[in-house]
Amino acid sequence: MIKDPIESLASIDREFGEHGGVNMSIEASTTFTVMEPDTMPALFEGDTEGREGCYLYGRHFNPTVFALGRELAALEGTEAAYCTASGMAAISAVLLQLCSVGDHIVASDTLYGGTYAFLNDYLPLKSGVTTTFVDLADADAVAAAITARTKLVYAESMSNPTLRVADIPGLANIAHGKSIPLVIDNTFSPLLIRPSAMGADIVVHSLTKFINGASDVIAGAVCASRDFIRELMDLRTGSLMILGPTMDPVTASKISLRIPHLALRVAEHSRRAEVFASRLADRGYKVVYPGLAQHPDHELMAKIRSNRYGYGGLFCLDMGSTNRANHLMDLLQNKYGFGYMAVSLGYSETLMSCSASSTSSELNQQALETAGITPGLLRISIGYTGSLEQRWRQFESALNELEVSKVA
Ligand code: PLP
């Protein structure tokens, strides 16, 4: 396997358009013709002609979506991948595939709010699958939480919003020692971190974020072994096939057109985030950024990241209170034109949100405290439009105004 994701991507067989177009065609059909009557039952019996699946019906496999899956498998260094209608569809399909009634999951205590809600509220209610949330930095606690019913260990490579970095090699050792898989959500760190190279068995993504990068589609992906992708697509028990969170081929085409500039975008997001984080820290602000020496996982990140893409495009600023965080966002958006008060991340423009009252609001007070999500924690996904110094001037002006205003 080639170790560099961008070299892997450039090495896969090019998918040309139907008429030799440089971009792949969009396969608009939801159903596919067979030339011999006997072929159809064979397809339904699982004769996939050596691929993860076959072209039978659009909810099963679609050639355009399949081609995007090959690109994501190359990016993540996995044998195969398939795409879904959202990041949550990818996460829920994987967890439902690995767990049955009464099973158990060990997961990080700092996760995206939707994933937390799926594990903490939805799964126990609908299936009796329970989760123990642990501090992943405590390897003994992770090992101790695994029981005979535990089916997987789950973590985000870089957590939302606290930017804690998962020790993927260490977690893989623990999980594999107990013969269970490690599932990693790599949404925050495509290219930066390649979990499969460090032992993760299944990598999930919200493509909605950095990978698509244009904030115009909701999408997800599961990157894993060919056998696991086949399982997800099984006609009787596959979570993707049966629950049907299918990606639309037009969406697959759009995302595929944006993957070639992912590396340029990620490098620039990271370059700017690092400058902002260090200037804000120098100004005395409480900044959370894995690229800063004071970040608890700085050394771990330096060890596991690819050093071409910096430390990621997000940083958090603890403004001390919701009021101050809101006031700063208001100034940044409405007076200085710096960015947008909006959830999500990985967009060309800067997106800012107060996590405790938005994308982490599914966590109760206790869970917020355990995760370290304070009320004034502002999550900033830094954009790359305009010049860095122009953006910094806007940010500084907003900070200067906030500081004189004495808003508490
Ligand atoms: N994983 C992470 C880390 C996220 O931040 C999000 C959404 O914010 C998701 C998964 C869910 O992705 P989607 O909104 O595409 O379903």
Side-chain angles (χ1 to χ4, degrees):
M1 197 225 318
I2 300 172
K3 293 233 166 56
D4 186 328
I6 56 168
E7 290 188 2
S8 314
L9 261 169
S11 303
I12 57 175
D13 286 342
R14 180 85 199 181
E15 192 81 27
F16 291 107
E18 201 183 348
H19 304 288
V22 292
N23 295 313
M24 67 178 172
S25 301
I26 299 174
E27 175 51 75
S29 306
T30 55
T31 190
F32 299 84
T33 318
V34 292
M35 292 306 163
E36 308 288 339
D38 288 349
T39 311
M40 198 172 287
L43 290 179
F44 274 89
E45 283 308 316
D47 177 1
T48 58
E49 298 161 342
R51 292 190 299 261
E52 287 79 342
C54 49
Y55 304 134
L56 166 69
Y57 181 60
R59 174 157 46 79
H60 195 224
F61 278 101
N62 168 286
T64 314
V65 181
F66 188 68
L68 176 63
R70 285 179 48 238
E71 292 172 19
L72 291 163
L75 186 75
E76 285 299 351
T78 54
E79 212 179 7
Y82 204 67
C83 304
T84 55
S86 69
M88 280 312 297
I91 293 165
S92 54
V94 165
L95 300 184
L96 289 169
Q97 200 63 39
L98 293 172
C99 296
S100 300
V101 178
D103 281 341
H104 175 251
I105 294 170
V106 171
S108 164
D109 60 9
T110 171
L111 291 172
Y112 163 59
T115 307
Y116 177 83
F118 185 68
L119 292 167
N120 189 59
D121 303 297
Y122 188 97
L123 274 181
L125 192 69
K126 303 290 183 186
S127 67
V129 173
T130 56
T131 298
T132 303
F133 296 96
V134 287
D135 175 1
L136 295 186
D138 184 347
D140 292 340
V142 177
I146 297 174
T147 70
R149 294 301 305 252
T150 308
K151 288 295 187 294
L152 66 126
V153 174
Y154 186 91
E156 290 169 358
S157 47
M158 203 185 268
S159 67
N160 181 356
T162 51
L163 308 179
R164 291 304 306 259
V165 179
D167 175 8
I168 298 171
L171 291 173
N173 263 338
I174 297 171
H176 297 165
K178 305 270 184 176
S179 306
I180 55 172
L182 173 65
V183 181
I184 295 286
D185 178 341
N186 201 25
T187 299
F188 272 37
S189 43
L191 293 170
L192 284 171
I193 297 177
R194 207 184 203 192
S196 74
M198 291 177 270
D201 303 277
I202 300 169
V203 180
V204 288
H205 270 286
S206 166
L207 304 179
T208 315
K209 312 295 173 354
F210 287 103
I211 292 187
N212 181 59
S215 286
D216 61 341
V217 298
I218 298 283
V222 180
C223 308
S225 68
R226 190 163 282 127
D227 283 348
F228 188 69
I229 300 296
R230 275 204 191 115
E231 255 185 64
L232 288 171
M233 284 302 179
D234 187 274
L235 298 184
R236 291 173 189 84
T237 56
S239 304
L240 286 184
M241 184 59 187
I242 300 299
L243 301 178
T246 312
M247 177 183 275
D248 178 77
V250 177
T251 297
S253 158
K254 273 190 181 177
I255 297 173
S256 175
L257 292 177
R258 288 149 187 184
I259 285 185
H261 46 74
L262 176 66
L264 302 176
R265 290 187 276 115
V266 169
E268 185 61 7
H269 281 296
S270 287
R271 184 179 78 90
R272 293 194 184 201
E274 196 164 344
V275 171
F276 269 73
S278 57
R279 287 184 188 176
L280 287 164
D282 288 347
R283 238 184 114 127
Y285 281 90
K286 226 168 140 184
V287 186
V288 181
Y289 186 63
L292 297 180
Q294 65 263 33
H295 187 280
D297 303 318
H298 178 65
E299 278 176 27
L300 170 64
M301 182 64 183
K303 207 165 70 188
I304 68 170
R305 78 188 173 114
S306 151
N307 53 20
R308 247 193 236 197
Y309 305 104
Y311 287 84
L314 285 113
F315 66 89
C316 293
L317 197 53
D318 191 343
M319 294 304 296
S321 72
T322 316
N323 208 18
R324 266 169 68 78
N326 285 343
H327 195 66
L328 178 62
M329 283 196 291
D330 189 18
L331 288 168
L332 285 169
Q333 173 178 290
N334 297 323
K335 183 155 184 190
Y336 294 102
F338 170 78
Y340 301 125
M341 279 185 264
V343 295
S344 206
L345 50 121
Y347 184 43
S348 51
E349 299 289 344
T350 295
L351 302 178
M352 312 168 282
S353 54
C354 217
S355 296
S357 44
S358 61
T359 52
S360 297
S361 56
E362 295 89 343
L363 280 68
N364 63 26
Q365 194 49 40
Q366 174 66 49
L368 285 170
E369 276 168 29
T370 305
I373 306 170
T374 51
L377 193 75
L378 198 56
R379 188 189 74 185
I380 301 181
S381 167
I382 205 87
Y384 49 78
T385 60
S387 74
L388 195 159
E389 292 310 328
Q390 171 195 25
R391 295 303 187 195
W392 175 247
R393 281 195 302 276
Q394 292 170 326
F395 209 102
E396 264 198 318
S397 305
L399 281 180
N400 292 342
E401 189 166 331
L402 179 83
E403 284 166 14
V404 247
S405 76
K406 301 264 186 287
V407 169

